[in-house]
């Protein structure tokens, strides 16, 4: 009987490891090693040299885009050519391209026929709009290289054993006592993020204590959920975790607090997208900096001190794409050099452009993570706006929470949304998540006129 229960687990581990081997061949092959060496070399460059490099790559991206039908027709209508847009002020008059624009007419942005070596990356993000993008073969290794530069800065080396909490499913829906699978090729324990609960958290802890991964990485919603249940049942680790890194979605203050409490280390974050149009990395000093040598990033004002992140990719030879709107928001701190390292500094990543509420009169308010930054002992939270425009803050209390903490949170929300809108609070066991296990900060059924 024991053999039959273990055999599928072993076979699935081998399948996951085989897939991990295939991914490693591409993600960490010769192109990756060369790109990583170049990224590390640029770490030694001066700020002025980096800006000159960025400008050179922006101009190359502009010339490349001129070969795509969309920009060829755009320049023709203006009786212009791509060289007329080299100057930054002229460049910023080019149209901002959205995900919907690409989805509606992708071929208009393809600068050449698709090659067999191109990868088709399908992503829906948090907007629900599905998009399949062709990526030239160098894009993925280049992205992994800039991510590993960031990890190396924090002391995470390639091959370090990792507990991975990512959005893809790794175990059958009818989960057994092993909510994980092994990727031996990547030295990863891939944990399911869809089975975490008070009833199962001991299975996760048992695996962590058995395999002792010193590095934890993944989706912050999932890692924070694990930490909430970990504290709820009074679990303990019998070894020390050295690094926690997160990506894939906005990193919210209550998630940061509970992760640090459980693992005893400061979690670090980076920001990147499948479209490879922007990358932002947290440094050892805790500052978030634009990776200026990865893409050309703009911060377009959206009101309320929020800026939309707009990027022009340097690496994708399959597309001609300029000034692509990520749909994500950031609060800028400084556009100058800080802390002895190049790269514009932003105060915080602040959710998506679609994460807004509508006030009476029609004004939209986004960047709603701020009021939660001083709220401790939350396990999760989400703002719901109903058909009548009222707000309900759905929250999951964490260890140490008491209901008096609602009052200062409401006061901080009032400072953002004013006094005209009704706000209530609803205690929950969990909050609504996407099919990929991510949590949106704002869910709205309000339809303004």
């Amino acid at each position: 009987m024991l053999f039959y229960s273990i055999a599928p687990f072993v076979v699935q581990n081998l399948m996951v490891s085989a897939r991990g081997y295939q991914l490693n061949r591409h993600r960490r092959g010769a192109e990756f090693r060369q790109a990583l060496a170049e990224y590390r070399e640029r770490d030694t460059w001066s700020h002025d040299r980096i800006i000159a490099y960025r400008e050179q790559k922006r101009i190359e991206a502009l010339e490349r885009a001129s070969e795509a039908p969309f920009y060829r027709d755009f320049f023709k209508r203006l009786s212009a050519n791509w060289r007329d847009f080299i100057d930054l002020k002229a460049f910023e008059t080019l149209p901002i391209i959205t995900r919907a624009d690409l989805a509606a007419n992708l071929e208009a942005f393809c600068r050449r026929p698709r090659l067999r070596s191109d990868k088709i990356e399908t992503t829906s993000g948090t907007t629900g709009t599905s998009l399949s993008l062709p990526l030239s073969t160098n894009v993925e290794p280049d992205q992994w290289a800039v991510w590993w530069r960031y990890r190396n800065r924090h002391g995470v080396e390639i091959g370090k054993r990792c507990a991975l909490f990512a959005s893809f499913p790794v175990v059958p829906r009818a989960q057994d006592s092993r909510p994980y699978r092994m990727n031996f090729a990547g030295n990863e324990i891939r944990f399911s993020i869809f089975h975490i609960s008070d009833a199962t958290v001991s299975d996760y802890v048992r695996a962590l204590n058995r395999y002792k991964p010193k590095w934890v990485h993944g989706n912050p919603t999932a890692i924070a959920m694990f930490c909430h249940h970990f504290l709820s049942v009074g679990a303990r680790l019998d070894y020390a975790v050295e690094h926690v890194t997160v990506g894939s979605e906005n990193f919210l203050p209550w998630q940061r607090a509970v992760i640090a409490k459980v693992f005893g280390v400061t979690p670090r974050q980076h920001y990147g997208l499948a479209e490879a149009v922007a990358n932002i990395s947290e440094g050892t000093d805790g500052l978030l900096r634009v990776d200026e040598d990865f893409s050309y990033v703009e911060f377009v004002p959206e009101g309320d001190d929020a800026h939309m992140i707009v990027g022009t990719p340097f690496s994708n030879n399959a597309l001609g794409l300029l000034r692509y709107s990520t749909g994500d928001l950031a609060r800028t701190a400084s556009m100058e050099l800080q802390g002895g390292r190049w790269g514009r500094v932003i105060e915080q990543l602040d959710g998506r452009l679609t994460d807004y509420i509508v006030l009476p009169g029609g004004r939209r308010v986004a960047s709603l993570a701020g009021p939660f930054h001083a709220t401790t002992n939350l396990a999760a939270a989400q703002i719901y706006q109903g058909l009548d425009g009222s707000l309900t803050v759905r929250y999951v209390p964490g260890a140490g929470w008491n209901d008096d903490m609602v009052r200062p949170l409401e006061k901080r929300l009032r400072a953002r949304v004013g006094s005209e809108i009704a706000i209530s609070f609803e205690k929950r066991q969990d909050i609504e998540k996407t099919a990929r296990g991510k949590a949106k900060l704002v869910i709205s059924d309000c339809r303004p006129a």
Side-chain angles (χ1 to χ4, degrees), residues 55-224:
E55 286 303 290
Q56 173 195 332
K57 300 299 284 186
R58 180 182 65 86
I59 293 168
E60 289 174 5
L62 177 60
E63 182 179 13
R64 185 166 60 242
S66 71
E67 299 170 4
F70 176 88
Y71 293 102
R72 188 170 61 240
D73 293 345
F74 177 83
F75 296 147
K76 185 177 180 180
R77 287 195 300 272
L78 296 177
S79 299
N81 64 55
W82 66 270
R83 293 179 180 84
D84 297 318
F85 294 86
I86 289 176
D87 180 79
L88 270 178
K89 288 186 178 179
F91 184 82
E92 290 170 0
T93 67
L94 292 169
I96 293 176
I97 306 301
T98 66
R99 175 187 291 264
D101 293 330
L102 287 185
N105 192 11
L106 181 61
E107 293 303 318
F109 295 89
C110 293
R111 57 177 290 268
R112 57 160 172 74
R114 293 186 187 177
L115 305 179
R116 290 184 62 184
S117 59
D118 287 346
K119 178 183 177 183
I120 305 301
E121 180 73 29
T122 301
T123 175
S124 61
T126 54
T127 64
T129 304
S130 180
L131 181 64
S132 295
L133 284 179
L135 304 178
S136 54
T137 187
N138 61 307
V139 173
E140 193 172 18
D142 186 67
Q143 275 194 306
W144 281 92
V146 77
W147 294 342
W148 271 108
R149 177 177 66 176
Y150 142 77
R151 292 167 178 174
N152 288 167
R153 289 169 176 169
H154 292 284
V156 182
E157 298 298 331
I158 295 173
K160 193 178 194 77
R161 178 165 290 178
C162 179
L164 180 64
F165 290 78
S167 296
F168 43 76
V170 295
V171 302
R173 188 171 295 275
Q175 177 254 334
D176 56 21
S177 62
R178 291 178 292 267
Y180 61 90
R181 293 297 181 262
M182 303 298 298
N183 170 16
F184 295 113
N187 202 15
E188 293 174 342
I189 306 108
R190 296 192 167 196
F191 285 99
S192 169
I193 71 170
F194 302 105
H195 295 86
I196 304 169
S197 68
D198 275 1
T200 63
V201 71
S202 60
D203 297 328
Y204 290 77
V205 175
R206 191 178 303 115
L208 289 171
N209 284 332
R210 177 182 177 185
Y211 295 106
K212 294 180 170 44
K214 297 295 184 73
W215 173 33
V216 177
H217 174 71
N219 172 339
T221 295
I223 299 176

Side-chain angles (χ1 to χ4, degrees), residues 3-65:
F3 171 79
Y4 290 107
S5 65
I6 293 176
F9 175 70
V10 173
V11 171
Q12 289 160 8
N13 283 343
L14 293 174
M15 292 173 64
V16 169
S17 297
R19 176 58 178 157
Y21 174 75
Q22 291 175 336
L23 289 174
N24 284 350
R25 286 185 63 190
H26 181 55
R27 291 176 177 174
R28 299 184 195 170
E31 280 188 297
F32 164 82
R33 292 191 295 273
Q34 178 64 31
L36 180 56
E38 292 172 359
Y39 275 112
R40 285 171 170 166
E41 166 64 22
R42 289 194 291 272
D43 252 2
T44 68
W45 288 8
S46 68
H47 179 259
D48 289 347
R49 189 177 179 188
I50 282 292
I51 297 307
Y53 174 85
R54 185 187 68 184
E55 286 303 290
Q56 173 195 332
K57 300 299 284 186
R58 180 182 65 86
I59 293 168
E60 289 174 5
L62 177 60
E63 182 179 13
R64 185 166 60 242

Side-chain angles (χ1 to χ4, degrees), residues 220-221 224 246 249-259 269 349-351 355 368-370 372-373 380-382 431 439-441:
T221 295
V246 300
E249 59 176 333
N250 198 29
F251 194 22
L252 297 166
W254 56 85
Q255 296 169 342
R256 182 183 294 273
V258 73
I259 291 171
Q269 67 172 315
L349 295 165
D350 218 5
D355 286 345
L368 289 163
F372 292 92
H373 276 259
Q382 192 170 65
I431 60 172
K440 292 190 66 178
L441 178 60

